[in-house]
Amino acid sequence: MRDPLSKTRKARDARDGYGFISLWLFGFFALTLIPLLFSFFLSFTDYDLLTPPVWSGLNNFKTMFTKDPRYWKSVFATFYYAIAAVPLRLVVALGVAMILNTNRRGVSLYRALYYAPSIVGSSVAVAVMWRQYFGTEGIFNALLRAVGIPSNISWTGDPRFAIWTLILLAAWQFGSPMLVFLSGLKQIPNELYESASIDGASGIRKFFRITLPLLSPVILFNLIMQMIHGLIVFTPALIITGGQPLDTTNFYALYLYRRGFETFEMGYASGMAWVLLVVIALFTFIIFKTSSQWVFYEAEKGR
Amino acid sequence: MGHATTPFKKKIHTMLFHLSVGAFAFLMIYPILWLAASSFKPGGEIWSRVLSLIPQHPTFENYMNGWKGFGGITFGTFFKNFFIIAALETLFVVTSSTIVAYGFARIDFPGKNLWFSCMLATLMLPVQIKIIPQYIFFGYLKWINTFLPLIVPKLFGEAFYIFMMMQFIRGIPKELDEAAEIDGCGRLYTFTHILLPLLKPPMFTAAIFSFYWSWGDFLAPLIYLNNPKLYTLSVALRSFADPGGMTDWGAIFAMSFLSLVPVLVLFVSFQRYLTQGIASTGLKG
Amino acid sequence: MVKKIGLLLISIFVLSSVAMAAGKSETAKPRKAEIKIIWWGSQTRHEGTIKVIELYKKTHPNVDITYEFSSWADYWTKVTTMAAGGQLPDVMQQDYARIAEWVKRGLHVQLDEYVTKKIIDTTNIEPSLIDTGRIDGKLWAINLGSNSHSMILDADMFKKAGIPLPPKDWTWEDFEKIALQLREKLGIYGYGVHMWNDQIWKAIYISRGEWIYAPDNKSIGYKDDTPFIQYLEMMKRLVKAGAMTPRQEEISQYAGGTQPEQTPIIFGKAAMQHQWSNQLSAVDKASGGKRNFVLYPLPRVKGGKSANYIKASQYFSVSSQSKFPEEAARFIGFFTNDIDANKILMAERGVPISSKVREALLPLLPPVQKEVFSFVEYISKTGSPCPPPDAPRHGELINNLYQPEVVDKVLFDIIDPVTAAKILRERGNAILSKN
């Protein structure tokens, strides 16, 4: 039955498909593409922002890879951050989402309270607030002293710990992945849990057999988004540590911003950005490739 | 015996739940409480009694000073600008992203993977690098000093939301669409009548994100809005601080705290839509 | 081929946007001059400046003025983007450390002509104060308020510790001794934050009658690294003795020393701190307004000259992308000389350069501001001449080398002061040689 129809069906799919994504396609070509290409070409130039760019070939990339020790430090800091912060944040977000996925009284208040820290994330006041936690005289040291550990460590100022305070900040602001998880959990039909309960399945078994597989599309989304987010992290380092101490929190995006806007090396900064794009694209590609092994789509089951 | 312990056990459970979740919640929002407390402290007290959560001499002075804004342009203007931008951005981006997501998630068409990759790639360049080219580009279109550079791009969907909606659509059984198609409904009808009602929770999630992100975004408004009467909350809030001169931190704290209110109110009022999942609509069967 | 096309496209893109902005004036010549003003600052400054603009509009109905403002942190992102897009406002606030960079790139208009034509009236201004806006003898910017380095001393703390205030020509040796005494007597850091900043580096060589850059700005300007090494060693000694805030604590507790409101001297944890003189108001207000702060010149090297000089806290300059440079200059003239305007501004940008304005303001000032005025007055009589503006690439040198690779590495004990001085000289020269 399909054979004679397949051609018209394909044509119809193409028509409908492009019809639905045409909105995005138009925006991409009209608004995004030109600035994107512009920054790509800039990466092969010396551009000080205030005078026209001068072609410099691969010079920016050579400097980056061979002559700039701070570049490698920022690469290290960024990976360190992403590798620690992304899983931590996702686990916390999933855990809290599951705890708050009940109909107990007061739970909507808790959701708001747990989401609140994510809202203040980019505000100017967050730096001041974070010092209340991790400053030399902050409450973290006060808590340590209260349980008998004498501590006057300057957490955000000590090269050993500064990056960890930013990682904790990321974990603290788990609001957006939590919300995505919550809506994902809402999509899982209750009947599945009920019938599993009748079969006598334990909570852990239900989590691994029902929750995780049915949540996997959303987990994939959160994983990729948080990874990208982790690798282009900018604001917390800018407003809390300013990249210090000793460049241990001088994340990639912060460093390229500084080279671009503080010392007028926009060509170099563009080069850095495109290297970053290639690396992130590679990671995303790998995650997508492996995702067929662990992501379960309700829509495509049995195919 | 068993009959008697169950409600008791349940009560203990509930108490434990509230105790632990509540205590953790306090730790979570401690800095916000601190912000609120500081916003009621007079200027000399903010830094000299920095750790105290209770103002010694509570005052509304910071709110009054902050609200009056800059040279006759009050925070009323900044709130209004923010609401206009955030509402339009949210409306546009959620609608358009859901439409585009349906195309990517449910229809197989040639070139799909290429366009999807391009779409994700737009997320992978740091915003800071796009500022200058975009500024020049919007300058061409004579859009500088209007809300257009902020709002118009949202009409065409944004990768984050498109991808998110895609993942939710893919979680919905395909039999639903197929049943509709067998009944002779076109794709548009299937989308608007079958899928959209099921996508309410993720759409509200997206709306919350969008609203909050336009609250937090300062770079784009900073660059494109060159008239203080058009400034948004985020830009106005940042205009208080001057490390080389005198900064009224009390006003910053007061206005920061006040600006949190609409985002929190929106969050709480959208709550009930979030809890209506597919589970409660009972469509799955 | 690809390269050529790419370059061509970029050039078209950049140049035409600049050209477009410039071309507008010819096609549609507005009858009324329109100028735009941009500055950075805090709420007080925004408020005052806007009021002055309204005042100017009332007395000059032939011009229309628009304006915008932002915080210091956002300002440079904003104006740099505007410059790249050819949309720079006519009058822009400028900074001492950056102006050479902007002038070098041809973004400002030379102002000598307007001074000769009295559009900017300099009758009541000491020539030395006008000179603060000169580069290579040409005038590029007008000083909006004078400023000098200072050491803020908490006089009550000194009294409590039984330490007499030092003579005004004190040396770094005196300074170190006092910091240690304060530590011993009161158990506080004698000195607060930001001792590592490049202003002190400059001050040490100014006190020796030298300058950190060579006259052609192509290399480090002094021969002897010893004073710099001694300064780094002194900081290490002070930190070790608990007489100066360690860098770790400075970053975590005191915002890296960048906000005057959040520094140890406010909390009574230090009794001496380097600040610009105009920042005294902020320090005084944040500490509750009841403390007894006095402004002191910076210490000198042994047998050296004054390390202080009068500097512009900020400037106004006219953009080369302006269509109405003359009207822009006229506004700057008004801003500098008009008594009513300055009564609104109340010297918030530093001590006004016009002697007439100063006279008019003096009786109206609060005590803290009086202290600032008399300090600047004192420096203008006893200080060293103003050094040349910072070399182009000064920002690169400080942000990419001096702070992260030199002083921080010493303060975190990664390298010793001698190595640090060597690194600064070698890599500093490499950066400057591109000038």
Side-chain angles (χ1 to χ4, degrees):
Chain A
M1 182 188 154
R2 278 227 158 156
D3 256 347
L5 277 177
S6 70
K7 211 173 175 185
T8 54
R9 190 182 167 93
K10 257 189 190 158
R12 201 175 58 130
D13 276 352
R15 187 199 67 195
D16 288 358
Y18 277 97
F20 274 98
I21 72 158
S22 61
L23 261 182
W24 176 79
L25 270 183
F26 179 80
F28 180 70
F29 281 105
L31 298 177
T32 318
L33 194 61
I34 295 176
L36 220 62
L37 289 179
F38 179 58
S39 87
F40 179 71
F41 277 112
L42 279 185
S43 60
F44 301 100
T45 65
D46 276 338
Y47 179 39
D48 67 3
L49 290 168
L50 310 174
T51 45
V54 181
W55 191 266
S56 69
L58 292 174
N59 258 351
N60 288 331
F61 299 97
K62 275 185 208 145
T63 313
M64 207 178 296
F65 295 139
T66 60
K67 284 188 214 143
D68 186 356
R70 295 182 79 207
Y71 174 83
W72 290 107
K73 246 183 156 170
S74 79
V75 170
F76 176 77
T78 311
F79 274 99
Y80 192 103
Y81 173 84
I83 288 169
V86 173
L88 191 63
R89 191 181 204 177
L90 287 178
V91 168
V92 175
L94 181 58
V96 175
M98 289 184 54
I99 292 171
L100 295 184
N101 186 30
T102 74
N103 290 324
R104 271 181 220 272
R105 228 175 346 141
V107 82
S108 48
L109 174 71
Y110 289 134
R111 276 186 207 147
L113 292 182
Y114 280 45
Y115 187 65
S118 311
I119 296 177
V120 295
S122 49
S123 121
V124 263
V126 78
V128 184
M129 291 190 271
W130 211 236
R131 277 203 289 284
Q132 304 315 310
Y133 271 136
F134 290 110
T136 316
E137 285 146 35
I139 62 164
F140 191 67
N141 275 344
L143 281 177
L144 284 180
R145 278 192 288 265
V147 296
I149 307 167
S151 161
N152 57 357
I153 293 172
S154 303
W155 298 98
T156 50
D158 190 310
R160 289 168 297 170
F161 305 113
I163 195 167
W164 278 98
T165 66
L166 297 185
I167 291 167
L168 273 178
L169 177 71
W172 182 62
Q173 300 180 318
F174 56 74
S176 25
M178 175 190 82
L179 272 195
V180 177
F181 280 137
L182 258 178
S183 347
L185 288 170
K186 287 292 167 202
Q187 262 201 342
I188 301 175
N190 270 335
E191 294 87 354
L192 288 181
Y193 289 111
E194 280 156 18
S195 55
S197 296
I198 292 166
D199 294 346
S202 68
I204 294 171
R205 200 178 152 81
K206 278 192 269 186
F207 175 73
F208 282 106
R209 281 303 170 83
I210 302 171
T211 314
L212 270 191
L214 288 182
L215 208 56
S216 59
V218 168
I219 294 176
L220 173 71
F221 167 77
N222 269 340
L223 178 63
I224 288 181
M225 282 306 143
Q226 294 304 324
M227 180 203 63
I228 295 178
H229 198 83
L231 289 175
I232 62 174
V233 56
F234 176 75
T235 317
L238 176 76
I239 57 185
I240 292 173
T241 59
Q244 291 159 1
L246 278 180
D247 281 348
T248 48
T249 61
N250 193 23
F251 296 138
Y252 202 94
L254 177 63
Y255 186 46
L256 77 83
Y257 168 78
R258 294 223 152 125
R259 295 300 286 240
F261 282 93
E262 270 179 10
T263 54
F264 303 111
E265 298 160 279
M266 196 44 97
Y268 190 73
S270 302
M272 281 184 71
W274 278 86
V275 171
L276 181 65
L277 179 128
V278 170
V279 172
I280 298 180
L282 197 73
F283 283 134
T284 312
F285 179 76
I286 293 170
I287 295 177
F288 264 109
K289 275 290 151 197
T290 63
S291 74
S292 55
Q293 305 295 312
W294 57 271
V295 177
F296 170 83
Y297 289 116
E298 175 78 14
E300 281 135 41
K301 71 180 167 191
R303 296 212 168 171
Chain B
M1 177 91 194
H3 197 76
T5 47
T6 319
F8 180 68
K9 234 182 175 174
K10 212 173 170 187
K11 229 176 205 168
I12 292 273
H13 261 206
T14 313
M15 257 175 66
L16 272 177
F17 174 84
H18 284 295
L19 208 69
S20 52
V21 175
F24 196 55
F26 176 76
L27 204 64
M28 289 288 293
I29 62 158
Y30 172 82
I32 300 172
L33 295 180
W34 180 87
L35 176 70
S38 296
S39 73
F40 291 106
K41 291 179 184 172
E45 200 183 313
I46 290 180
W47 300 113
S48 51
R49 300 187 69 241
V50 73
L51 279 176
S52 152
L53 273 189
I54 299 149
Q56 212 170 21
H57 308 284
T59 167
F60 273 106
E61 185 193 358
N62 296 324
Y63 284 86
M64 265 129 62
N65 284 342
W67 184 266
K68 77 177 188 229
F70 316 100
I73 310 164
T74 66
F75 260 73
T77 311
F78 306 136
F79 268 94
K80 191 192 78 197
N81 292 335
F82 159 68
F83 280 122
I84 295 174
I85 293 174
L88 289 176
E89 278 188 6
T90 303
L91 180 72
F92 290 166
V93 86
V94 174
T95 319
S96 58
S97 299
T98 311
I99 295 172
V100 175
Y102 176 77
F104 274 123
R106 275 298 205 250
I107 306 171
D108 277 319
F109 56 90
K112 178 165 130 173
N113 287 337
L114 171 73
W115 297 125
F116 183 69
S117 310
C118 284
M119 189 184 82
L120 281 189
T122 59
L123 286 175
M124 297 172 193
L125 271 187
V127 239
Q128 294 77 29
I129 215 68
K130 300 185 230 169
I131 301 173
I132 301 256
Q134 275 175 347
Y135 180 83
I136 297 179
F137 183 68
F138 287 130
Y140 264 115
L141 303 178
K142 300 243 189 296
W143 283 5
I144 304 293
N145 216 7
T146 67
F147 292 159
L148 294 178
L150 306 176
I151 294 169
V152 171
K154 310 284 174 189
L155 271 174
F156 309 111
E158 221 164 60
F160 177 88
Y161 304 100
I162 297 176
F163 187 25
M164 184 179 119
M165 297 311 294
M166 278 173 66
Q167 294 306 87
F168 280 100
I169 292 174
R170 294 166 91 169
I172 296 171
K174 211 168 184 176
E175 297 96 62
L176 287 176
D177 318 27
E178 277 162 4
E181 274 179 56
I182 288 165
D183 291 344
C185 307
R187 280 219 162 92
L188 201 58
Y189 186 88
T190 317
F191 173 65
T192 51
H193 285 73
I194 312 285
L195 280 172
L196 268 191
L198 292 177
L199 285 174
K200 256 195 206 157
M203 280 172 82
F204 277 108
T205 309
I208 289 176
F209 287 161
S210 163
F211 195 79
Y212 147 61
W213 277 327
S214 56
W215 178 85
D217 180 23
F218 69 89
L219 207 53
L222 172 79
I223 299 296
Y224 299 126
L225 305 177
N226 299 340
N227 177 346
K229 289 192 179 81
L230 299 179
Y231 282 5
T232 60
L233 275 180
S234 55
V235 177
L237 275 174
R238 292 173 66 89
S239 303
F240 279 105
D242 181 19
M246 176 111 71
T247 305
D248 188 349
W249 285 96
I252 294 186
F253 293 149
M255 289 304 108
S256 295
F257 186 64
L258 199 63
S259 76
L260 284 174
V261 173
V263 194
L264 280 175
V265 165
L266 180 99
F267 184 85
V268 173
S269 54
F270 275 15
Q271 272 282 307
R272 56 201 180 93
Y273 299 106
L274 291 182
T275 51
Q276 299 174 348
I278 195 174
S280 53
T281 56
L283 245 160
K284 168 80 184 169
Chain C
M1 189 61 196
V2 177
K3 167 187 146 177
K4 270 186 190 158
I5 295 175
L7 200 59
L8 189 73
L9 283 176
I10 294 176
S11 312
I12 293 174
F13 200 56
V14 174
L15 290 177
S16 61
S17 69
V18 176
M20 234 170 49
K24 262 188 263 167
S25 64
E26 280 153 45
T27 46
K29 224 173 201 161
R31 241 181 251 143
K32 214 171 172 187
E34 267 177 51
I35 60 171
K36 178 155 201 173
I37 300 164
I38 188 166
W39 67 90
W40 75 81
S42 60
Q43 192 187 22
T44 327
R45 181 175 305 165
H46 304 328
E47 190 85 25
T49 313
I50 293 170
K51 277 194 191 140
V52 170
I53 290 173
E54 299 301 335
L55 181 70
Y56 186 80
K57 282 208 281 205
K58 248 181 243 155
T59 47
H60 298 74
N62 60 320
V63 275
D64 211 7
I65 303 187
T66 52
Y67 55 84
E68 63 182 303
F69 49 80
S70 66
S71 66
W72 162 261
D74 294 335
Y75 183 79
W76 296 102
T77 313
K78 196 164 180 152
V79 287
T80 315
T81 312
M82 287 171 149
Q87 314 251 3
L88 215 51
D90 307 73
V91 177
M92 72 175 268
Q93 203 167 296
Q94 247 311 351
D95 173 53
Y96 178 73
R98 312 205 182 206
I99 186 159
E101 200 94 41
W102 284 65
V103 166
K104 192 184 96 182
R105 291 182 167 82
L107 289 159
H108 290 320
V109 169
Q110 207 182 317
L111 299 175
D112 297 276
E113 178 197 348
Y114 304 115
V115 170
T116 349
K117 285 203 272 183
K118 295 258 172 203
I119 289 172
I120 300 173
D121 185 6
T122 54
T123 326
N124 298 315
I125 303 170
E126 293 92 325
S128 66
L129 294 176
I130 286 292
D131 290 347
T132 54
R134 281 186 203 281
I135 296 175
D136 299 334
K138 290 172 190 153
L139 185 63
W140 297 100
I142 299 295
N143 181 349
L144 294 183
S146 299
N147 218 346
S148 189
H149 293 287
S150 68
M151 199 61 94
I152 298 183
L153 306 189
D154 185 333
D156 294 341
M157 285 283 191
F158 272 71
K159 208 184 240 171
K160 209 168 127 198
I163 303 168
L165 289 173
K168 294 226 163 177
D169 58 352
W170 58 334
T171 62
W172 286 104
E173 282 78 12
D174 299 334
F175 166 82
E176 187 174 352
K177 219 163 73 197
I178 292 171
L180 292 170
Q181 281 175 344
L182 284 164
R183 165 77 212 180
E184 199 185 319
K185 297 262 169 63
L186 303 174
I188 56 168
Y189 297 128
Y191 178 84
V193 291
H194 230 211
M195 175 59 97
W196 52 268
N197 83 72
D198 56 294
Q199 300 300 340
I200 310 280
W201 173 37
K202 289 181 191 167
I204 284 170
Y205 283 96
I206 288 171
S207 181
R208 288 167 55 91
E210 294 173 285
W211 178 233
I212 55 169
Y213 298 121
D216 62 359
N217 285 331
K218 283 182 186 298
S219 62
I220 298 283
Y222 53 84
K223 293 267 158 17
D224 189 0
D225 284 337
T226 325
F228 181 63
I229 295 169
Q230 284 170 345
Y231 150 66
L232 295 174
E233 278 166 349
M234 178 192 74
M235 284 199 285
K236 290 191 74 158
R237 282 196 301 271
L238 286 175
V239 170
K240 205 168 162 204
M244 181 176 118
T245 319
R247 183 83 172 109
Q248 288 91 310
E249 188 174 333
E250 177 181 311
I251 295 171
S252 78
Q253 189 67 29
Y254 302 116
T258 52
Q259 294 284 356
E261 288 89 355
Q262 299 168 47
T263 50
I265 200 164
I266 309 277
F267 308 105
K269 298 210 164 138
M272 299 190 284
Q273 193 160 286
H274 168 244
Q275 299 286 350
W276 293 106
S277 55
N278 65 321
Q279 291 176 321
L280 183 67
S281 308
V283 169
D284 181 67
K285 194 184 167 209
S287 56
K290 293 190 191 88
R291 306 263 289 276
N292 191 3
F293 295 120
V294 287
L295 289 176
Y296 255 67
L298 282 190
R300 306 173 177 200
V301 296
K302 212 170 189 175
K305 314 194 281 180
S306 168
N308 278 69
Y309 52 93
I310 299 290
K311 165 197 162 279
S313 68
Q314 58 229 275
Y315 308 94
F316 264 154
S317 50
V318 175
S319 147
S320 59
Q321 294 167 358
S322 168
K323 289 161 233 155
F324 303 99
E326 192 172 313
E327 288 307 320
R330 202 183 308 277
F331 176 80
I332 298 177
F334 174 83
F335 205 86
T336 310
N337 287 306
D338 190 84
I339 306 278
D340 290 331
N342 278 282
K343 278 184 181 165
I344 296 171
L345 296 166
M346 285 307 275
E348 189 270 329
R349 283 180 170 85
V351 180
I353 55 173
S354 151
S355 54
K356 278 264 164 62
V357 170
R358 283 203 301 271
E359 269 164 40
L361 289 191
L362 206 53
L364 309 171
L365 294 171
V368 188
Q369 283 276 59
K370 281 201 176 115
E371 169 77 16
V372 177
F373 269 54
S374 73
F375 176 73
V376 170
E377 180 81 29
Y378 174 77
I379 296 300
S380 68
K381 291 199 184 107
T382 61
S384 294
C386 184
D390 294 329
R393 298 190 192 272
H394 171 76
E396 193 178 331
L397 187 111
I398 297 302
N399 292 320
N400 293 350
L401 177 66
Y402 183 83
Q403 192 256 320
E405 302 285 316
V406 178
V407 285
D408 260 8
K409 288 210 166 151
V410 170
L411 291 174
F412 281 107
D413 289 324
I414 310 282
I415 56 176
D416 62 86
V418 178
T419 322
K422 218 173 105 198
I423 292 176
L424 178 63
R425 178 170 291 276
E426 277 168 14
R427 291 177 51 190
N429 280 339
I431 292 174
L432 292 168
S433 67
K434 292 185 275 179
N435 274 333

